[in-house]
Amino acid sequence: MLYVLPALVLYTLFLLIPLGQTVWLSFLDWDGLTVATWAGLDNYRELFTDPALRAPFVHALVLLLFYAALPVAIGLLLAAALSRFRVRGMTFFRTVLFLPQVLAMVVVGVAWRSILAPDGLLNDVLHAVGAGGLARSWLGDYTWALPAVGIVGTWVETGLCLVLFLAGAQRIPRELYEAARMDGAGAVREFFTVTLPGLRGEVAVALTLTIVAGLRNFDLIYITTSGGPGNATSVPAFEVYRRAFEVNEVGAAAAMGVGLTVMIFVLTVVVARLVEGRKS
């Protein structure tokens, strides 16, 4: 017990107590300056009934397609291909793909904001190849702003998934691949019968990490779009900041923060149940 006591004290001071204070604030009507009044469940009721408060959660779920589903799918395909064929310069290839993970998200946001600007690199390339009709203000377009931010998330998270899967693929016995090939398995059957079952644990870790990264996304949104145009790219973490520090609706911000915490907890438990549960 004494060994875990320091960690337990820090965990209580920096996580459990702030979480308890946030839950308490979510039951108050407070602007951060004057005396707070009891609001009961009103803040949570608005969370379910106010479209402006529901929209950030919908946007977060859409972003999970780009932050979690696409990186895991691309990482699995690349890991399967790289484990089947010998590629020269594998270390360089792996380093380049993992590079976005070591960059500060502010740097990533500033770089991609420049690339996706109306006079940015992407539109210049489209004009150069004769597809100028597709050029647009990617981050200022109501339809394309959210997918554009999502593509940046895919670029960031794919390297992490690939490194996890490549490390896991090295643990898969080569005899399994040889046995599958002797049975006449092609690349697709080999992937579904050997590679994918062997990487089940890594898939669970990758999904958990990318889902959490997608749901707590704040800095990329703040740097690239500030939730705009309108609220087309607003996500829960950004909306918590905006309501707490710009609109002075601390109670509503706290309720949204609690909702985001519950959402992350539920999704990570579901992933663990679906992927790791079958393994056990």
Side-chain angles (χ1 to χ4, degrees), residues 4 20 22 42 47 63 71 74 97 102 111 155 170 185 192 200 204 209 228 239 269:
V4 299
T22 303
D42 287 351
L47 204 59
L63 284 180
I74 295 171
L97 284 174
V102 300
W155 180 74
Q170 292 177 354
F192 284 105
R200 183 171 293 165
L209 293 177
E239 196 64 21
V269 169

PDB file of all heavy atoms in Angstrom, residues 4 20 22 42 47 63 71 74 97 102 111 155 170 185 192 200 204 209 228 239 269:
ATOM      1  N   VAL A   4       2.114   2.511  -3.480  1.00  0.00           N
ATOM      2  CA  VAL A   4       1.203   3.210  -4.382  1.00  0.00           C
ATOM      3  C   VAL A   4       0.665   4.496  -3.763  1.00  0.00           C
ATOM      4  O   VAL A   4      -0.033   5.259  -4.439  1.00  0.00           O
ATOM      5  CB  VAL A   4       0.020   2.300  -4.785  1.00  0.00           C
ATOM      6  CG1 VAL A   4       0.523   1.077  -5.500  1.00  0.00           C
ATOM      7  CG2 VAL A   4      -0.807   1.924  -3.577  1.00  0.00           C
ATOM      8  N   GLY A  20     -14.233  16.144  -9.399  1.00  0.00           N
ATOM      9  CA  GLY A  20     -15.357  16.385  -8.489  1.00  0.00           C
ATOM     10  C   GLY A  20     -15.812  17.841  -8.519  1.00  0.00           C
ATOM     11  O   GLY A  20     -17.025  18.125  -8.494  1.00  0.00           O
ATOM     12  N   THR A  22     -15.541  19.854 -11.063  1.00  0.00           N
ATOM     13  CA  THR A  22     -16.223  20.072 -12.341  1.00  0.00           C
ATOM     14  C   THR A  22     -17.658  19.569 -12.290  1.00  0.00           C
ATOM     15  O   THR A  22     -18.578  20.234 -12.797  1.00  0.00           O
ATOM     16  CB  THR A  22     -15.452  19.349 -13.469  1.00  0.00           C
ATOM     17  OG1 THR A  22     -14.103  19.815 -13.496  1.00  0.00           O
ATOM     18  CG2 THR A  22     -16.100  19.618 -14.818  1.00  0.00           C
ATOM     19  N   ASP A  42     -30.446  21.527 -15.011  1.00  0.00           N
ATOM     20  CA  ASP A  42     -30.744  22.371 -16.173  1.00  0.00           C
ATOM     21  C   ASP A  42     -29.620  22.343 -17.208  1.00  0.00           C
ATOM     22  O   ASP A  42     -29.870  22.311 -18.424  1.00  0.00           O
ATOM     23  CB  ASP A  42     -30.985  23.817 -15.716  1.00  0.00           C
ATOM     24  CG  ASP A  42     -32.318  23.961 -15.004  1.00  0.00           C
ATOM     25  OD1 ASP A  42     -33.104  22.985 -15.026  1.00  0.00           O
ATOM     26  OD2 ASP A  42     -32.578  25.037 -14.422  1.00  0.00           O
ATOM     27  N   LEU A  47     -27.935  20.298 -22.505  1.00  0.00           N
ATOM     28  CA  LEU A  47     -26.962  19.522 -23.281  1.00  0.00           C
ATOM     29  C   LEU A  47     -27.659  18.576 -24.256  1.00  0.00           C
ATOM     30  O   LEU A  47     -27.156  18.307 -25.357  1.00  0.00           O
ATOM     31  CB  LEU A  47     -26.085  18.720 -22.313  1.00  0.00           C
ATOM     32  CG  LEU A  47     -24.690  18.296 -22.778  1.00  0.00           C
ATOM     33  CD1 LEU A  47     -23.856  19.496 -23.136  1.00  0.00           C
ATOM     34  CD2 LEU A  47     -24.002  17.473 -21.694  1.00  0.00           C
ATOM     35  N   LEU A  63     -15.376  13.229 -36.518  1.00  0.00           N
ATOM     36  CA  LEU A  63     -13.914  13.278 -36.543  1.00  0.00           C
ATOM     37  C   LEU A  63     -13.297  11.939 -36.153  1.00  0.00           C
ATOM     38  O   LEU A  63     -12.147  11.665 -36.531  1.00  0.00           O
ATOM     39  CB  LEU A  63     -13.409  14.380 -35.609  1.00  0.00           C
ATOM     40  CG  LEU A  63     -13.547  15.818 -36.134  1.00  0.00           C
ATOM     41  CD1 LEU A  63     -13.016  16.807 -35.110  1.00  0.00           C
ATOM     42  CD2 LEU A  63     -12.801  15.990 -37.462  1.00  0.00           C
ATOM     43  N   PRO A  71      -6.918   5.939 -39.667  1.00  0.00           N
ATOM     44  CA  PRO A  71      -5.532   5.593 -39.311  1.00  0.00           C
ATOM     45  C   PRO A  71      -5.346   4.111 -39.001  1.00  0.00           C
ATOM     46  O   PRO A  71      -4.336   3.518 -39.395  1.00  0.00           O
ATOM     47  CB  PRO A  71      -5.273   6.463 -38.080  1.00  0.00           C
ATOM     48  CG  PRO A  71      -6.174   7.624 -38.231  1.00  0.00           C
ATOM     49  CD  PRO A  71      -7.411   7.064 -38.860  1.00  0.00           C
ATOM     50  N   ILE A  74      -5.588   2.208 -42.428  1.00  0.00           N
ATOM     51  CA  ILE A  74      -4.380   2.446 -43.234  1.00  0.00           C
ATOM     52  C   ILE A  74      -3.170   1.782 -42.581  1.00  0.00           C
ATOM     53  O   ILE A  74      -2.339   1.163 -43.256  1.00  0.00           O
ATOM     54  CB  ILE A  74      -4.153   3.962 -43.410  1.00  0.00           C
ATOM     55  CG1 ILE A  74      -5.295   4.578 -44.219  1.00  0.00           C
ATOM     56  CG2 ILE A  74      -2.818   4.236 -44.097  1.00  0.00           C
ATOM     57  CD1 ILE A  74      -5.263   6.101 -44.263  1.00  0.00           C
ATOM     58  N   LEU A  97       6.829   8.468 -41.271  1.00  0.00           N
ATOM     59  CA  LEU A  97       5.407   8.320 -40.940  1.00  0.00           C
ATOM     60  C   LEU A  97       5.119   8.654 -39.479  1.00  0.00           C
ATOM     61  O   LEU A  97       4.030   9.125 -39.143  1.00  0.00           O
ATOM     62  CB  LEU A  97       4.953   6.888 -41.235  1.00  0.00           C
ATOM     63  CG  LEU A  97       4.732   6.569 -42.710  1.00  0.00           C
ATOM     64  CD1 LEU A  97       4.428   5.093 -42.892  1.00  0.00           C
ATOM     65  CD2 LEU A  97       3.596   7.400 -43.286  1.00  0.00           C
ATOM     66  N   VAL A 102       5.622  13.452 -33.096  1.00  0.00           N
ATOM     67  CA  VAL A 102       6.574  14.146 -32.233  1.00  0.00           C
ATOM     68  C   VAL A 102       6.514  15.661 -32.438  1.00  0.00           C
ATOM     69  O   VAL A 102       7.204  16.398 -31.738  1.00  0.00           O
ATOM     70  CB  VAL A 102       8.013  13.642 -32.460  1.00  0.00           C
ATOM     71  CG1 VAL A 102       8.100  12.162 -32.164  1.00  0.00           C
ATOM     72  CG2 VAL A 102       8.480  13.928 -33.878  1.00  0.00           C
ATOM     73  N   ALA A 111       1.063  24.750 -39.851  1.00  0.00           N
ATOM     74  CA  ALA A 111       1.516  24.267 -41.159  1.00  0.00           C
ATOM     75  C   ALA A 111       0.332  23.923 -42.062  1.00  0.00           C
ATOM     76  O   ALA A 111       0.277  24.335 -43.234  1.00  0.00           O
ATOM     77  CB  ALA A 111       2.416  23.050 -40.973  1.00  0.00           C
ATOM     78  N   TRP A 155      -3.507  12.249 -40.831  1.00  0.00           N
ATOM     79  CA  TRP A 155      -2.066  12.375 -41.092  1.00  0.00           C
ATOM     80  C   TRP A 155      -1.265  12.237 -39.795  1.00  0.00           C
ATOM     81  O   TRP A 155      -0.197  11.615 -39.774  1.00  0.00           O
ATOM     82  CB  TRP A 155      -1.809  13.743 -41.741  1.00  0.00           C
ATOM     83  CG  TRP A 155      -0.386  14.011 -42.066  1.00  0.00           C
ATOM     84  CD1 TRP A 155       0.356  13.471 -43.079  1.00  0.00           C
ATOM     85  CD2 TRP A 155       0.493  14.913 -41.373  1.00  0.00           C
ATOM     86  NE1 TRP A 155       1.627  13.969 -43.042  1.00  0.00           N
ATOM     87  CE2 TRP A 155       1.737  14.864 -42.014  1.00  0.00           C
ATOM     88  CE3 TRP A 155       0.333  15.763 -40.275  1.00  0.00           C
ATOM     89  CZ2 TRP A 155       2.829  15.627 -41.601  1.00  0.00           C
ATOM     90  CZ3 TRP A 155       1.415  16.522 -39.858  1.00  0.00           C
ATOM     91  CH2 TRP A 155       2.636  16.460 -40.516  1.00  0.00           C
ATOM     92  N   GLN A 170       5.919  -8.243 -35.678  1.00  0.00           N
ATOM     93  CA  GLN A 170       7.177  -8.965 -35.467  1.00  0.00           C
ATOM     94  C   GLN A 170       7.019 -10.100 -34.459  1.00  0.00           C
ATOM     95  O   GLN A 170       7.860 -10.994 -34.405  1.00  0.00           O
ATOM     96  CB  GLN A 170       8.249  -7.982 -34.987  1.00  0.00           C
ATOM     97  CG  GLN A 170       8.655  -6.976 -36.049  1.00  0.00           C
ATOM     98  CD  GLN A 170       9.659  -5.956 -35.553  1.00  0.00           C
ATOM     99  OE1 GLN A 170       9.983  -5.923 -34.367  1.00  0.00           O
ATOM    100  NE2 GLN A 170      10.155  -5.124 -36.458  1.00  0.00           N
ATOM    101  N   ALA A 185      -3.115 -19.780 -49.283  1.00  0.00           N
ATOM    102  CA  ALA A 185      -3.715 -18.497 -48.926  1.00  0.00           C
ATOM    103  C   ALA A 185      -3.043 -17.371 -49.702  1.00  0.00           C
ATOM    104  O   ALA A 185      -1.819 -17.312 -49.788  1.00  0.00           O
ATOM    105  CB  ALA A 185      -3.563 -18.252 -47.417  1.00  0.00           C
ATOM    106  N   PHE A 192      -6.463 -11.743 -43.118  1.00  0.00           N
ATOM    107  CA  PHE A 192      -7.595 -11.957 -42.214  1.00  0.00           C
ATOM    108  C   PHE A 192      -7.415 -13.177 -41.305  1.00  0.00           C
ATOM    109  O   PHE A 192      -8.047 -13.259 -40.247  1.00  0.00           O
ATOM    110  CB  PHE A 192      -8.894 -12.110 -43.011  1.00  0.00           C
ATOM    111  CG  PHE A 192      -9.426 -10.796 -43.530  1.00  0.00           C
ATOM    112  CD1 PHE A 192      -9.298 -10.459 -44.862  1.00  0.00           C
ATOM    113  CD2 PHE A 192     -10.032  -9.894 -42.669  1.00  0.00           C
ATOM    114  CE1 PHE A 192      -9.777  -9.236 -45.338  1.00  0.00           C
ATOM    115  CE2 PHE A 192     -10.513  -8.684 -43.137  1.00  0.00           C
ATOM    116  CZ  PHE A 192     -10.376  -8.347 -44.474  1.00  0.00           C
ATOM    117  N   ARG A 200      -4.627  -8.208 -32.634  1.00  0.00           N
ATOM    118  CA  ARG A 200      -5.846  -7.787 -31.930  1.00  0.00           C
ATOM    119  C   ARG A 200      -5.530  -6.865 -30.756  1.00  0.00           C
ATOM    120  O   ARG A 200      -6.180  -5.838 -30.553  1.00  0.00           O
ATOM    121  CB  ARG A 200      -6.615  -9.012 -31.457  1.00  0.00           C
ATOM    122  CG  ARG A 200      -7.926  -8.678 -30.782  1.00  0.00           C
ATOM    123  CD  ARG A 200      -8.735  -9.918 -30.539  1.00  0.00           C
ATOM    124  NE  ARG A 200      -9.175 -10.501 -31.808  1.00  0.00           N
ATOM    125  CZ  ARG A 200      -9.652 -11.716 -31.926  1.00  0.00           C
ATOM    126  NH1 ARG A 200      -9.725 -12.498 -30.863  1.00  0.00           N
ATOM    127  NH2 ARG A 200     -10.063 -12.177 -33.085  1.00  0.00           N
ATOM    128  N   ALA A 204      -6.579  -2.796 -30.320  1.00  0.00           N
ATOM    129  CA  ALA A 204      -7.299  -2.229 -29.169  1.00  0.00           C
ATOM    130  C   ALA A 204      -6.565  -1.004 -28.626  1.00  0.00           C
ATOM    131  O   ALA A 204      -7.189   0.022 -28.326  1.00  0.00           O
ATOM    132  CB  ALA A 204      -7.447  -3.282 -28.071  1.00  0.00           C
ATOM    133  N   LEU A 209      -6.143   4.897 -28.087  1.00  0.00           N
ATOM    134  CA  LEU A 209      -5.342   6.118 -28.146  1.00  0.00           C
ATOM    135  C   LEU A 209      -5.899   7.117 -29.163  1.00  0.00           C
ATOM    136  O   LEU A 209      -5.973   8.328 -28.899  1.00  0.00           O
ATOM    137  CB  LEU A 209      -3.889   5.774 -28.502  1.00  0.00           C
ATOM    138  CG  LEU A 209      -3.105   4.993 -27.446  1.00  0.00           C
ATOM    139  CD1 LEU A 209      -1.708   4.650 -27.959  1.00  0.00           C
ATOM    140  CD2 LEU A 209      -2.989   5.808 -26.165  1.00  0.00           C
ATOM    141  N   GLY A 228     -15.014  27.524 -36.511  1.00  0.00           N
ATOM    142  CA  GLY A 228     -15.778  28.018 -37.637  1.00  0.00           C
ATOM    143  C   GLY A 228     -15.606  27.189 -38.893  1.00  0.00           C
ATOM    144  O   GLY A 228     -14.894  26.180 -38.872  1.00  0.00           O
ATOM    145  N   GLU A 239     -15.552  23.846 -27.262  1.00  0.00           N
ATOM    146  CA  GLU A 239     -16.763  24.493 -26.757  1.00  0.00           C
ATOM    147  C   GLU A 239     -16.682  24.699 -25.242  1.00  0.00           C
ATOM    148  O   GLU A 239     -17.205  25.697 -24.723  1.00  0.00           O
ATOM    149  CB  GLU A 239     -17.979  23.647 -27.118  1.00  0.00           C
ATOM    150  CG  GLU A 239     -19.313  24.360 -27.001  1.00  0.00           C
ATOM    151  CD  GLU A 239     -19.456  25.531 -27.964  1.00  0.00           C
ATOM    152  OE1 GLU A 239     -18.735  25.577 -28.978  1.00  0.00           O
ATOM    153  OE2 GLU A 239     -20.293  26.416 -27.678  1.00  0.00           O
ATOM    154  N   VAL A 269     -14.348   1.766 -23.062  1.00  0.00           N
ATOM    155  CA  VAL A 269     -14.816   0.492 -22.499  1.00  0.00           C
ATOM    156  C   VAL A 269     -15.393  -0.394 -23.598  1.00  0.00           C
ATOM    157  O   VAL A 269     -15.138  -1.614 -23.648  1.00  0.00           O
ATOM    158  CB  VAL A 269     -15.866   0.749 -21.400  1.00  0.00           C
ATOM    159  CG1 VAL A 269     -16.565  -0.552 -21.005  1.00  0.00           C
ATOM    160  CG2 VAL A 269     -15.214   1.369 -20.172  1.00  0.00           C
TER     161      VAL A 269
END
